[in-house]
Amino acid sequence: MTRIEGNQAISEPVTIPRPEHVISRVNISENALKVLYRLKQAGFQAYLVGGGVRDLLLGREPKDFDIATIASPEEVRALFRNSRLIGRRFLLAHVRFGNEIIEVATFRGQSDGSDEEQLVQSDEGRLLRDNVFGTLEEDAWRRDFTINALYYNIEDFSVVDYVGGMTDLKAGTLRMIGDPERRYREDPVRMLRAVRFAAKLGFRIHAETEAPIFELGHLLDDISPSRLFDETLKLFLSGNAVATFELLRHYRLFERLFPATEEALSMEENHFPLTLVSRAMENTDQRIAVGKPVTPAFLYAALLWEPTRRLAQQMEQAEAGLTWLQALHAASSLTVSRQAKCTSIPKRFSVPMREIWAMQSRLEQRSGKRPLRLLEHPRFRASYDFLLLRAESGEAPAELAQWWTRFQDTDSDQQHAMLQEAPVTKTSKRRRRPRKRRPNGAGA
Ligand code: ATP
Ligand code: MG
């Protein structure tokens, strides 16, 4: 049987037997294998699917392992004591082994709505699944990209391909299943996913999959800020932030996620603030590459710094008597509340983000006991890193950054000497620049 999708004709399914593909059980997490085997022994079809299969076929280490099965969520729940049903977007089972969670989803049928629209609330307020269960084939066709719809069958270790995913995988092509525009309208987050996978895998987005993205960015305005926050973290904290950022701007999706930042970028002078944001992305990628922790607070601090700084400057100029820190505080609040309309920023990240900003002017004061006290501050490290970033992009004095680099690394005698020699900074350059005007025009 052949299915016509767009102008493609696809024969289905293609089964790639074990000797003809590279997926070996050695590379699959033991826990995922346990789940697959137990489902199989209980008489249920069970497959590894999604990013796990895709990444294994590409010789990459999967981030996590997702399983698709014919068993209903309740049947899965009954098979695994260590499981629970979750229903954020649709009902599925999470099987927990220590830190590892294996997500087990029941085959879903043809459903046209976006994942989000399928939320239905019961009388008790519980979120319920509104879509019907389906067959393996239907499950394949409702997935996003062909390379994400490959199934590893635990029955015979073959790979099952309904959508031409194997060919696309070999060619390095990211192709939407079905009619791209319709699929983006169903769920606009798929546009962000396209960018994320293209950046992560170095794949080319197929022309027909790419074309509608330029026009449909505005659809992201209808997605909940909390879902977009989650997606933002996946976009920027997966080790490919630089490429992702460039693609997001290319497809004009970045402005939907960070409109204030995009506006600031459009006013750039001498590559600032583009340099600051790009460097923050580079740093993040480098840290991830060597296994260092990264925090959304720092990323958001970099993304939202320039619009906040500009706003604070305007406020400081407009209101006589307002100190820089007061202006910064007010501007930060405004930035956070504006940004929250696009992507939410949980308090546990916005609070440290604002601390990083506020610490910037404290880092300018290098006399007395303050610098030594600052070294002990829990936010010192992140604030210092942020100062480096500003210095590298030309927005803060390089000398100041170098001073702190030396100061924290030297012995206490040297530190005291450095404190003696340090220039006394009462007001920062930034604060001096905008001359305060008396409201009555005095001095004119
Ligand atoms: P990774 O986990 O490496 O980021 P992934 O492809 O596994 O990538 P997940 O978000 O874990 O991505 O989703 C698992 C699978 O579920 C996807 O591979 C895809 O088949 C399907 N899927 C996820 N989100 C969507 C969506 N918005 N529309 C259609 N299918 C989706
Ligand atoms: Mg996954």
Side-chain angles (χ1 to χ4, degrees):
M1 195 178 115
T2 298
R3 181 190 294 261
I4 307 294
E5 281 284 331
N7 50 12
Q8 284 171 260
I10 292 172
S11 319
E12 51 179 293
V14 176
T15 300
I16 302 104
R18 172 65 192 93
E20 289 169 33
H21 66 72
V22 297
I23 298 183
S24 153
R25 272 163 292 162
V26 182
N27 299 321
I28 302 174
S29 107
E30 266 177 43
N31 297 322
L33 284 174
K34 262 187 225 163
V35 175
L36 287 168
Y37 278 125
R38 180 140 357 138
L39 285 164
K40 177 185 125 148
Q41 275 151 17
F44 297 113
Q45 286 175 52
Y47 299 83
L48 204 62
V49 67
V53 179
R54 176 196 70 218
D55 291 348
L56 287 175
L57 286 170
L58 289 170
R60 293 166 156 263
E61 194 186 329
K63 203 178 75 197
D64 46 37
F65 291 91
D66 297 320
I67 288 174
T69 179
I70 193 143
S72 71
E74 291 76 12
E75 285 167 330
V76 178
R77 171 79 193 87
L79 272 181
F80 299 93
R81 269 195 302 134
N82 50 332
S83 69
R84 63 191 191 99
L85 299 186
I86 62 150
R88 211 155 95 93
R89 290 207 262 281
F90 50 93
L91 199 62
L92 43 80
H94 272 179
V95 189
R96 181 183 276 280
F97 302 86
N99 284 336
E100 189 178 14
I101 291 177
I102 306 292
E103 202 168 280
V104 186
T106 305
F107 296 150
R108 285 209 277 159
Q110 298 278 329
S111 54
D112 285 337
S114 81
D115 283 355
E116 256 194 343
E117 280 160 8
Q118 303 199 5
L119 288 178
V120 171
Q121 252 173 354
S122 73
D123 294 343
E124 299 83 46
R126 183 157 177 220
L127 298 175
L128 296 177
R129 172 192 45 79
D130 182 28
N131 54 317
V132 283
F133 297 140
T135 60
L136 172 63
E137 183 186 351
E138 285 171 323
D139 191 79
W141 288 98
R142 64 107 193 144
R143 290 181 182 270
D144 48 7
F145 303 101
T146 60
I147 60 168
N148 284 349
L150 295 165
Y151 296 78
Y152 173 79
N153 189 355
I154 198 62
E155 190 70 45
D156 58 3
F157 315 122
S158 64
V159 170
V160 184
D161 179 6
Y162 283 94
V163 296
M166 270 306 215
T167 314
D168 286 338
L169 200 71
K170 284 181 188 141
T173 303
L174 191 72
R175 187 198 309 260
M176 180 66 83
I177 298 172
D179 174 55
E181 176 167 345
R182 212 198 77 217
R183 304 294 320 274
Y184 293 134
R185 288 188 181 279
E186 277 171 16
D187 182 4
V189 169
R190 288 172 185 150
M191 294 186 279
L192 298 176
R193 290 174 60 84
V195 166
R196 178 155 70 87
F197 295 127
K200 164 174 159 162
L201 306 171
F203 274 34
R204 198 178 42 82
I205 306 179
H206 188 269
E208 285 165 31
T209 300
E210 175 185 58
I213 303 181
F214 294 101
E215 311 297 325
L216 298 180
H218 63 94
L219 294 176
L220 288 172
D221 299 356
D222 298 331
I223 304 296
S224 74
S226 71
R227 187 173 177 210
L228 287 184
F229 174 74
D230 291 347
E231 281 302 318
T232 302
L233 297 193
K234 289 186 200 164
L235 286 164
F236 294 125
L237 298 182
S238 302
N240 310 285
V242 173
T244 304
F245 174 61
E246 281 162 12
L247 283 180
L248 284 176
R249 288 200 82 207
H250 174 73
Y251 291 112
R252 308 200 45 192
L253 296 174
F254 183 74
E255 64 199 58
R256 295 292 161 181
L257 298 174
F258 295 93
T261 311
E262 179 61 39
E263 201 191 320
L265 290 174
S266 67
M267 296 189 273
E268 70 170 301
E269 290 164 41
N270 303 326
H271 301 296
F272 176 81
L274 186 61
T275 316
L276 182 122
V277 175
S278 307
R279 290 247 177 187
M281 303 288 178
E282 275 169 32
N283 286 359
T284 308
D285 288 349
Q286 281 161 8
R287 290 181 69 92
I288 291 170
V290 296
K292 287 191 192 165
V294 287
T295 159
F298 191 85
L299 180 81
Y300 269 76
L303 281 166
L304 299 176
W305 171 241
E306 186 55 15
T308 308
R309 196 182 69 99
R310 278 177 193 264
L311 206 59
Q313 268 180 2
Q314 288 162 10
M315 287 175 164
E316 196 194 26
Q317 280 176 47
E319 211 177 313
L322 202 66
T323 66
W324 170 251
L325 267 182
Q326 288 167 332
L328 181 64
H329 184 75
S332 305
S333 300
L334 211 59
T335 304
V336 169
S337 66
R338 285 176 183 164
Q339 181 60 34
K341 296 196 179 90
C342 305
T343 75
S344 57
I345 319 178
K347 274 232 158 52
R348 65 181 186 283
F349 302 128
S350 66
V351 170
M353 170 185 82
R354 296 178 59 157
E355 273 176 9
I356 291 171
W357 289 343
M359 288 268 288
Q360 295 308 301
S361 55
R362 292 173 68 185
L363 289 169
E364 290 174 13
Q365 291 158 18
R366 284 178 275 174
S367 50
K369 295 208 165 67
R370 281 179 178 162
L372 283 167
R373 278 208 303 269
L374 269 190
L375 286 184
E376 307 300 320
H377 195 287
R379 211 64 70 197
F380 171 77
R381 188 69 219 182
S383 304
Y384 161 74
D385 284 343
F386 197 70
L387 175 66
L388 286 185
L389 210 59
R390 292 174 55 221
E392 283 171 16
S393 53
E395 190 250 315
E399 177 271 324
L400 179 66
Q402 286 155 7
W403 189 90
W404 278 102
T405 304
R406 278 187 288 125
F407 186 70
Q408 56 186 306
D409 251 5
T410 191
D411 59 32
S412 77
D413 284 353
Q414 273 297 318
Q415 282 180 333
H416 284 291
M418 286 181 75
L419 288 173
Q420 296 295 319
E421 288 158 19
V424 179
T425 320
K426 288 234 173 63
T427 45
S428 72
K429 262 197 192 145
R430 189 194 330 94
R431 276 179 289 155
R432 261 188 273 124
R433 203 181 297 143
R435 288 262 129 70
K436 288 210 181 82
R437 272 192 215 121
R438 297 278 147 231
N440 59 7

